[in-house]
Every structure is written in C-alpha cells, then in structure tokens.
Amino acid sequence: MSTDELASKTAQICLDGNFLFVDETTGSDETGSGTKCTPYQTPVAAVAVIVSMPEEKQASFKIAVKKAGEAEYVEITASALKKARKSHEIAAKKAKKQAEQSSKDKEQNEAKEAEEQRRLDESKKVVLVEDASLAVAQQIRIQDSVKNRNTRVKVFGWVHRQRVQGKDMMFIVLRDGTGHLQCVLTDRLCHTYDALTLTVESAIAVYGEIKEVPAGKTAPDGHELIVDYWHVVGKAPGGDDSFANRVNEESDPSLLLQQRHLVLRGDRASSILKIRARVMRAFRDHFDGNGYFEVTPPCMVQTEVEGGSTLFEFDYYGEKAYLTQSSQLYLETCLPSMGAVYTLSESYRAEKSNTRRHLSEYTHCEAEIPFISFNDLLDTIEAMVKGVVNRVWDEPTTRAMITQVNPDFKPYTEPFVRMRYEEAIKWLNDNGIKRAEDGKDFEFGDDIPEAPERRMTNTINKPILLTHFPGPIKAFYMPATKEDPRVTESVDLLMPNVGEVVGGSMRIWDHDQLLAAFQRQGLNPDVYYWYLDQRKYGTCPHGGFGLGIERFIAWITNSYTVRDCCLYPRFVGRCQP
C-alpha cells in the first residue's frame, strides 16, 4: 500500500479497544480497514497501518488475529508480531527500492526521449541532394542487378528488412517483386528524418553502384548496392499500425486470411504465387507443344456437370443460371473443329467442405482429346504431370523457389502406380483401415473418403492412378467398361500429402447411352441438346480430365492447405478480401 493509502486507512479506523483485527479467512488486505466488520487478512497489513501512525500513538495499538477454523479473535503473539514487522520491513525496503528504480528509469527514458527528439529535430535540417557530377543512374529491376554491377543504377522497391548499425550505417534489404537487394547507407544518408523514421514496407528509391560483397560476407546474389542517394516514395506507418503488428508468425490463421493482402508480401507466400505463375505457363507450354489449342469456355451456364447440390445459382436476366462446375462439356464441343483442346479457367463448387484441400473457387486445368483409348488417357495424364514438373524444374529461378519452400522436392521419374478401385478396397481392408461411420471393412461400391485415401497414398508414397470406379459413385457421362459393366473407365490421380489432384475418364460417346444416362440422373436432356448433338453429328471415342491447379501447387510446395496456393482463397465463410 502507498503512504497515502495507509494514511487514509488510519483516518478511517474506528476500533474496539485500539485493536486492529485480522481474519485469515474472510479478511482482505486490499479492502479491509482493520475493524471487526472489515478485518485485514494478514498481520503484515495491520503492522503497515500502525507504523504509518505518529510514533506517540503506535504503542497504544494492538493486533487481534482470528486464525482459520477458530471462532474468536486473540491478541497476536510476540513471535508472530515480530515476524510480521520483519516482513513489513522487507516489503517496505523492496517498495522503496522499486520506487527509486522506477524514478531512475523514468529519468533515463525522459532523457532518451529528449535525445531522440533532439536527433529528430536535427535530422529535419539534413537535406539530401543527388550529386550531379555522378553518372546518370539507370533504372533497373532487382532481377537484372547481377548484369549491372559496377554501374550506377536506380532501384525502386519496398523495405523488406532493415538493420541500423550505430549512428552512421544502415542496411536495407529491398524487395521489388523480382528479387531482393541489400543496400548500404552510410554517414549523412543515415542522418535524415526519413532515415531515422524509416519503417518496414515503406516504398523507396535508392541510387548507387552494385558491388560484390567482401569475402566472408553474404547477401542476396552475393552483392550489395552502395547507396549515394535515396528518397522515400511512400512511407508505411510505424507504432501500433506497423506492418509487424498487423501480421506476424504468431497471428491466428483467420486473421492471416483477413490480412491476406499483407501476407502476400512474405517470402513463402510470394514464392508460392510465383511458382504458380511458372506452373501455369508450363501447362500452357506442355499443351501447346503437344498440338492442343486453348479455349476459353463460359463460366455462366445453365447445365450441371458434377451434381446439382454443388451449383452456385444466380438470376441471369430473369432466367436460372449457375457458375460452372467444369468446362468439360464445352471442351467436348470443340473436338470436331479444333482437335485436342484445353483450358485454364475458374470452376466453382458450392460444396460446404471446410477441409484443407477444398475451395469454392479454383483454377481448373481441363483437357479433352478425341480418338483415344482409356490407356491412352492414363498415359496422357502421367506424361502431362511429369512434363510440367520437368519444365518448371529445368528453369533455375523456379527450381530455386521450389527448393526454398520445399527442400525435399524432386521430380518423379518412375512410372506411376496403376491401381484399380477394387485393389484399393482390398488394400484398405488388408491394412486395417475401417469405415468411419460403422468401423467395418470397406465394400465394393463405397466412396473412399479423403482420410483413408490419403493414408493409403502416403503409405505407398508414390503417385497413384486409381482407376475403374463403380458407376453409381461417378459422374453420369462416364462409360462402363465392356469387361465389367459395374465399373467405369474413370481415373483419379492421387499424390502423396495431397490426395486427388486429377479426375478423368472416357466419355459416353453413344447417343442413346448418353440419353439414358441423363434419364438415370434425372436431368432434362433438352437443356443439353448441344451436348447430345456431339453424339449425333460424327461421334467418336474421346476422353479428358480436370486438374486442380491449387492442389498441384500444394504438392510441389508441400503446402498444408490449398488456401495458401491461390491469391485470395474462397471457401465456406470466406469471401474477403
């Protein structure tokens, strides 16, 4: 208690026989006043009040204590009083020392703040002027810095990291989206107001020459910019609203999603998006190099492909319409005019699956190929995955980014495992993996859930082309096999740590069989007249597949969730930013 608090308590005392009362059970040192009605809890509190009185009054006050479990107050024993006085003396000395230290700290902080303010005031007088006698600086991007060493350059970017070394040296790691560049500022360059108040994520311009770092030193690309002039383009806030206070490694995942626009500036997030860009280009290069044509189907449709329960419905000028679940049906219409075709476009699924591998909006790589067999389709999928991976792996900058986020990744060169659905059911049962709903063995016709499928894939630890699924658990357009009409010419490509990445099949190419499939599914064939016409005017055997780009990226980058593999993820409960 402070001196003022003790004096206040002393003034309020209304005692019985000059006793201060202590009740170890019901008393309170914080709110008690020493009366029987409001006793203290410890003798130390009573002693503190007595010693705060004038000396001539102290001897007239005594302490009565009611111990836990006792009914009456009794005068404190001499030994207990001595112990309480000792405890009070120790506490008083500690409080005095803390007060002195607090006062000292306050004086030091005030002096430090005054010195800091003096430095800031002085810094406003320091004005930097570009030296006109130097060579004109050529503006470059950081990715071009190696070939521009020993040349005066100008670089724009954002402060990724900064470190002050004394009063006359500052290191800034600059980021411009193409790379990172260490910049060294010395002397007057560090004394300006902007230098003293510079914050992470501020946009700046730096001028100077790029020099190799001395032996034994490290920096991005092995060099650093020796700055001779710089200025702020757009300063980021500091204090409570600083970048580090908005997002950091300890932030809750939901907050990171809400601040996704800031998270994207981080090393891993930006690397994944760059890898994604290179992967998208590699898919296009693969298809273009194999004679496919790219098409851009509509995303507003009036048909379903993968079941009506996952359709996003909206009003289209008074008509019912949906966001596309897949562009497959439209790709099939291009076969007679363009041959093999593909698309890289968005698909939408209104399934309320809040898992790490589901999105409501995702980038869908889809392809359709005419005049092929089911085995041809399997070969095509395997060749595509291997070909795309090799393309990005053969690019040094992309390989470096992949290695940075997933050091263990290596292109898969062996043949993919080919396993029939029935073999997968047997594998699950042989390995003691049961159905979650009843704890029993899996049976033919069961749709294998994500968890058992992932466990099987991770245990085998190889890409698996899982084929020949039963018709009832697959889409209406998948044809039954001739040798076993219970199963379809269908395939899922399963990747370790991710699960299903590709889904594909041959397509029913007989008009009457497709019409019967519509009827089984309860679909109105009139809405699909244009799709049925493909079987009417020169039908042919054909097949195709769809690959989820986000899942493919998750596999390459070893990302826990596909939400990290797109710009702004959309899923149940998340449509911002």
Side-chain angles (χ1 to χ4, degrees), residues 208-224:
E209 290 193 8
I210 298 173
K211 301 287 187 181
E212 289 189 62
V213 295
K217 303 293 184 180
T218 60
D221 291 325
H223 58 217
E224 56 191 8

Side-chain angles (χ1 to χ4, degrees), residues 172-208:
I172 295 173
V173 175
L174 199 66
R175 180 191 76 243
D176 73 347
T178 72
H180 295 82
L181 178 64
Q182 179 167 289
C183 308
V184 184
L185 286 70
T186 57
D187 301 329
R188 278 173 54 84
L189 299 175
C190 304
H191 300 163
T192 66
Y193 182 80
D194 281 338
L196 296 182
T197 59
L198 188 63
T199 50
V200 170
E201 293 304 323
S202 293
I204 64 174
V206 289
Y207 300 64

Side-chain angles (χ1 to χ4, degrees), residues 277-348:
R278 294 293 181 259
V279 166
M280 297 276 281
R281 185 177 68 185
F283 272 109
R284 286 191 165 92
D285 289 345
H286 171 81
F287 285 121
D288 293 346
N290 284 277
Y292 290 67
F293 285 99
E294 182 175 8
V295 294
T296 51
C299 68
M300 295 181 289
V301 302
Q302 292 185 312
T303 54
E304 65 177 71
V305 183
E306 301 294 338
S309 64
T310 64
L311 286 167
F312 279 108
E313 183 180 324
F314 66 96
D315 180 81
Y316 186 76
Y317 304 113
E319 297 182 41
K320 184 183 293 186
Y322 315 101
L323 294 177
T324 184
Q325 299 168 311
S326 166
S327 297
Q328 173 203 321
L329 306 189
Y330 291 101
L331 292 182
E332 289 186 55
T333 68
C334 299
L335 297 181
S337 58
M338 303 177 71
V341 291
Y342 76 97
T343 186
L344 282 164
S345 51
E346 303 308 295
S347 287
Y348 306 86

